[in-house]
Amino acid sequence: MRETPLSLDGPCGPLEALYLDVPDAKGVALICHPNPVQGGTMLNKVVSTLQRAVRDMGYSTLRFNYRGVGASAGSHDMGSGEVDDAEAAAHWLRAQQPHLPLILCGFSFGGFVAAATAGRLEQQGIAVERLFMVAPAVQRLQAPERLPDGGELVVIQPEQDEVIDPELVYAWSTGLPRAHELLKVAECGHFFHGKLPELKDLVQPRL
């Protein structure tokens, strides 16, 4: 199955995206990429691994480039603007198969974007069934952006992360008032070099 290139309507103009419509899908998944200032795009290998992981479990998938990345219009905002983009992408995805459960996945900066988008959707009465935050930039998740109260939350954190301080994520997890699962990946850096199959093995049983 090949993803179809798309141009979605975003808040700042077209958003470049890749969509996979899985026959008889059991859900739809939006995947958010890492920091665009540091070269993050929807083709990042961790994002690609997440897309394949959820695809293989029967989910239709959408990944996209934030404003100013690739063929997407606009310029980097590094905050609420990227969440605006993800919110628009989530609404497009839901419109394709509105009867199916929605899950969100995000890596690094994309972990913040996915979480904040899930929080916004919940406030609009749209349930996110599952949220996966992989090596997430938790320090960015500040008011008014917020986590959803409902749905399942899984945080996956490399123990040797050289970009996001693992202790920051662990402390955030400890102080989180809602139920969630924290999975630590031993002998693993931020970009999961040599550990991508392990990441897939962590995600799939939780779908």
Side-chain angles (χ1 to χ4, degrees), residues 2-200:
R2 289 178 176 266
E3 294 166 281
T4 301
L6 296 174
S7 181
L8 308 179
D9 290 333
C12 288
L15 293 173
E16 183 181 21
L18 290 169
Y19 175 59
L20 180 64
D21 185 5
V22 173
D24 300 317
K26 72 176 187 181
V28 294
L30 179 70
I31 303 131
C32 301
H33 73 72
N35 191 326
V37 173
Q38 297 176 344
T41 77
M42 65 178 175
L43 300 179
N44 170 274
K45 67 180 184 178
V46 176
V47 171
S48 297
T49 297
L50 291 169
Q51 188 273 334
R52 289 191 295 269
V54 296
R55 173 203 69 190
D56 292 350
M57 294 301 290
Y59 286 78
S60 294
T61 65
L62 179 68
R63 49 178 160 164
F64 68 101
N65 280 331
Y66 308 131
R67 58 188 62 195
V69 179
S72 293
S75 57
H76 305 324
D77 179 75
M78 292 310 300
S80 61
E82 283 78 12
V83 182
D84 293 342
D85 296 340
E87 184 181 352
H91 281 295
W92 183 91
L93 180 58
R94 286 192 73 248
Q96 309 314 301
Q97 302 184 72
H99 61 289
L100 293 180
L102 171 67
I103 70 170
L104 268 63
C105 307
F107 168 50
S108 194
F109 174 76
F112 148 72
V113 173
T117 302
R120 286 191 189 182
L121 293 174
E122 184 180 77
Q123 289 180 314
Q124 297 165 18
I126 300 169
V128 173
E129 184 176 80
R130 290 182 179 86
L131 170 62
F132 290 90
M133 301 173 68
V134 180
V138 295
Q139 73 279 7
R140 294 183 179 273
L141 198 59
Q142 300 172 357
E145 307 296 358
R146 58 182 288 277
L147 278 169
D149 295 320
E152 296 183 15
L153 170 61
V154 179
V155 181
I156 302 174
Q157 178 59 45
E159 291 188 341
Q160 275 75 53
D161 196 323
E162 69 283 12
V163 177
I164 303 292
D165 183 356
E167 294 302 326
L168 186 66
V169 177
Y170 302 157
W172 176 82
S173 171
T174 298
L176 206 57
R178 57 152 294 167
H180 66 288
E181 186 175 15
L182 172 64
L183 305 173
K184 301 179 181 180
V185 186
E187 300 178 355
C188 181
H190 186 69
F191 296 99
F192 287 81
H193 297 308
K195 294 286 186 174
L196 291 172
E198 188 170 338
L199 174 60
K200 192 173 181 180

